[in-house]
Amino acid sequence: MTAAPVTVRVQRGDFDLATEVQALSAGRHDIGAVVTFSGLCRDEAGTLSALELEHYPGMAEAEITRICDEAINRFGLQAATAIHRYGKIAPGENIVLVITASPHRQAAFDGANFIMDFLKTSAPFWKKEHGNDGTAGGWVSAKDEDDSARDRWSD
Amino acid sequence: MTAAPVTVRVQRGDFDLATEVQALSAGRHDIGAVVTFSGLCRDEAGTLSALELEHYPGMAEAEITRICDEAINRFGLQAATAIHRYGKIAPGENIVLVITASPHRQAAFDGANFIMDFLKTSAPFWKKEHGNDGTAGGWVSAKDEDDSARDRWSD
Amino acid sequence: MASVNLVYFAWVRERIGRGEETLELPDTVVTAGDLLAHLKTLGEEYEAALEHENVIRVAINQEHVDHDETIAGAREIALFPPMTGG
Amino acid sequence: MASVNLVYFAWVRERIGRGEETLELPDTVVTAGDLLAHLKTLGEEYEAALEHENVIRVAINQEHVDHDETIAGAREIALFPPMTGG
């Protein structure tokens, strides 16, 4: 197990990047690198009114915490934060935030990358598309490339 | 050459992470992933009063811009920002910020990682340590591992 | 017969037509895979939801399990499609 | 003889004792490496600064160059140690 602080939240509302980075790093002099990943609702075609994120309350938090703990142990992170939103999210809005801190840069990069790969493939969230024309579109399909991205971390 | 916006600044004062991310992504619906890297002044031993960053004015901006342009072309980034501070920087303070944006997450991770590796080894900055006891310590030595990190991007 | 709470998400929930239910399971249902097979006998909504059994993910007490794992001790079993968060 | 602006940084600057200067270079100085060799004849402060020639980085008109590159057309030549930013 790890003594590094882990912050995990699943919430409807938006998050503030600067506030979360500050909470993770303020007052510490031992952190050399902080990496953040923000995942946004993307709509290049202009046909999307919103993504609707469904989640499994309880398990979502538990699974993300397991992923963060694993990343901390594997990469020697000093802290990790993961926040995932649910509900309707409009194009351009935030969906997910991951923050990692470490003494040196590569661990922070790898830790955030690892957390995102597992979050995509094992955290219980599902996306449904709502179209600009009022239609409730289909459920987004899981991508093989997300499984491949996860599998590259296997030893 | 690239049409993706590049923001490069070399400045004495601090930067604000949220402001810079906002400037890069506001009003866009085509960005799916934003990665930020913050490099901080680290002092685990508690013996450092400050790092002093010297730079080569003009070339520092030009070289960082070249690195960002290369990253944009190589990884298909939608935008890149790199801000590097100079002057005296106390433990816990920011030294450098890199931000990348792309449709999908791996390009944003790789782009920020690439920019940091080249920024470390080819942007004209030099660090000098100032000790808590009033001594001006030595110049920080370049690390072989930074050259190795850069060289892994060679095709 | 054991009683277990079942929860469904995303298109599994939509096709079955409810988000949760409590069912009595016959003793012949030992593994998660057995559970899926049993549910498919309960009506066409279950058949439609679980048609492609191999893509259905199962969590017991909020942890992922393979289809061949036992459901013994399960308070809550969740069935859902592959995840698409992040 | 060509006149060129030289700029120095970090411990190269400290050891030479100044941050910039303009020098007339003899025509025998063709490459960046020739320049380093020439400077080392100008006094012990240059010798101390450039003792380990292979670690000294050279930039011409604010772009990195190898020691075997020509300095023809240089308006500004910079000499400095390996970089430690970021």
Side-chain angles (χ1 to χ4, degrees):
Chain A
M1 294 310 295
T2 167
V6 173
T7 301
V8 170
R9 295 204 308 274
V10 175
Q11 63 188 39
R12 189 177 286 277
D14 199 6
F15 46 76
D16 180 65
L17 179 61
T19 302
E20 301 303 334
V21 169
Q22 190 65 16
L24 167 140
S25 62
R28 294 184 69 157
H29 289 178
D30 58 338
I31 293 175
V34 175
V35 167
T36 77
F37 175 88
S38 303
L40 289 82
C41 177
R42 195 166 60 93
D43 175 37
E44 268 167 305
T47 57
L48 193 72
S49 77
L51 283 178
E52 185 167 6
L53 269 287
E54 179 171 336
H55 76 296
Y56 183 176
M59 180 170 169
E61 293 85 345
E63 188 68 18
I64 297 174
T65 302
R66 284 190 283 266
I67 295 167
C68 288
D69 285 342
E70 165 113 22
I72 282 172
N73 288 321
R74 183 166 177 150
F75 302 103
L77 304 180
Q78 295 170 312
T81 296
I83 302 173
H84 203 304
R85 294 179 65 192
Y86 64 89
K88 281 201 180 174
I89 295 174
E93 282 190 50
N94 289 310
I95 297 173
V96 62
L97 173 65
V98 168
I99 312 177
T100 53
S102 60
H104 300 287
R105 70 188 182 284
Q106 196 56 45
F109 274 121
D110 288 344
N113 210 333
F114 176 96
I115 291 170
M116 277 307 302
D117 281 349
F118 280 83
L119 202 150
K120 279 253 172 196
T121 52
S122 77
F125 290 84
W126 301 272
K127 289 194 186 98
K128 188 180 214 172
E129 293 176 332
H130 291 269
N132 261 337
D133 54 2
T135 57
W139 292 95
V140 172
S141 294
K143 296 193 197 77
D144 288 344
E145 67 205 53
D146 286 330
D147 287 338
S148 307
R150 175 201 60 205
D151 292 343
R152 70 193 160 130
W153 301 101
S154 301
D155 285 321
Chain B
M1 292 309 295
T2 167
V6 173
T7 301
V8 170
R9 296 205 305 275
V10 175
Q11 62 189 39
R12 189 178 286 276
D14 200 5
F15 46 76
D16 179 63
L17 178 61
T19 302
E20 301 303 333
V21 169
Q22 191 65 16
L24 165 141
S25 61
R28 295 184 67 156
H29 288 178
D30 57 338
I31 293 175
V34 175
V35 167
T36 78
F37 175 89
S38 304
L40 289 82
C41 176
R42 194 166 60 93
D43 175 38
E44 270 169 301
T47 56
L48 192 73
S49 77
L51 283 177
E52 185 166 9
L53 270 286
E54 179 171 338
H55 76 295
Y56 182 175
M59 180 170 170
E61 293 86 344
E63 186 69 17
I64 297 174
T65 301
R66 285 190 283 267
I67 296 167
C68 288
D69 284 342
E70 165 112 21
I72 281 171
N73 288 322
R74 181 165 179 150
F75 302 103
L77 304 180
Q78 294 171 310
T81 296
I83 302 174
H84 204 303
R85 295 180 63 193
Y86 64 88
K88 280 199 180 174
I89 295 174
E93 282 190 51
N94 290 311
I95 297 172
V96 62
L97 173 66
V98 168
I99 311 175
T100 53
S102 61
H104 300 287
R105 69 188 183 284
Q106 197 54 47
F109 273 121
D110 288 344
N113 209 334
F114 176 96
I115 290 171
M116 277 307 304
D117 282 348
F118 280 84
L119 203 151
K120 280 255 172 193
T121 50
S122 77
F125 291 85
W126 301 271
K127 290 195 185 96
K128 189 180 212 172
E129 294 177 330
H130 291 269
N132 263 336
D133 55 1
T135 57
W139 292 93
V140 172
S141 294
K143 295 193 196 79
D144 287 344
E145 68 205 53
D146 285 330
D147 287 338
S148 307
R150 175 201 61 206
D151 292 344
R152 71 194 159 128
W153 301 102
S154 301
D155 286 320
Chain C
M1 297 285 259
S3 172
V4 69
N5 297 314
L6 293 167
V7 292
Y8 311 122
F9 294 97
W11 54 255
V12 172
R13 171 182 55 73
E14 287 183 342
R15 290 180 192 174
I16 291 179
R18 60 189 74 90
E20 54 188 308
E21 62 187 330
T22 302
L23 289 184
E24 300 294 320
L25 299 179
D27 294 338
T28 52
V29 174
V30 176
T31 66
D34 294 342
L35 173 63
L36 295 178
H38 173 69
L39 289 172
K40 285 165 83 169
T41 68
L42 300 185
E44 60 186 17
E45 68 274 30
Y46 292 94
E47 275 185 79
L50 308 176
E51 180 188 1
H52 303 288
E53 259 187 58
N54 60 320
V55 307
I56 302 296
R57 307 300 173 97
V58 182
I60 296 180
N61 301 341
Q62 308 196 345
E63 291 200 46
H64 294 292
V65 297
D66 290 332
H67 286 195
D68 59 3
E69 287 196 49
T70 173
I71 64 169
R75 301 178 302 276
E76 179 174 287
I77 302 181
L79 306 183
F80 43 77
M83 290 139 284
T84 56
Chain D
M1 298 284 261
S3 172
V4 68
N5 297 316
L6 292 167
V7 292
Y8 311 121
F9 294 98
W11 52 255
V12 171
R13 172 182 55 71
E14 287 183 343
R15 290 180 192 172
I16 292 178
R18 63 190 71 90
E20 54 187 308
E21 61 188 329
T22 301
L23 288 184
E24 301 293 322
L25 300 178
D27 293 338
T28 52
V29 173
V30 175
T31 67
D34 294 342
L35 172 64
L36 294 178
H38 172 70
L39 288 172
K40 284 166 84 170
T41 67
L42 300 185
E44 60 186 17
E45 69 274 29
Y46 291 94
E47 275 185 78
L50 308 177
E51 181 188 2
H52 302 289
E53 258 187 60
N54 59 321
V55 307
I56 302 294
R57 308 299 174 96
V58 182
I60 295 181
N61 301 342
Q62 308 195 346
E63 291 201 45
H64 294 292
V65 297
D66 290 332
H67 286 196
D68 59 3
E69 285 195 50
T70 174
I71 63 170
R75 300 178 302 277
E76 180 173 285
I77 302 180
L79 306 183
F80 44 76
M83 289 140 284
T84 56

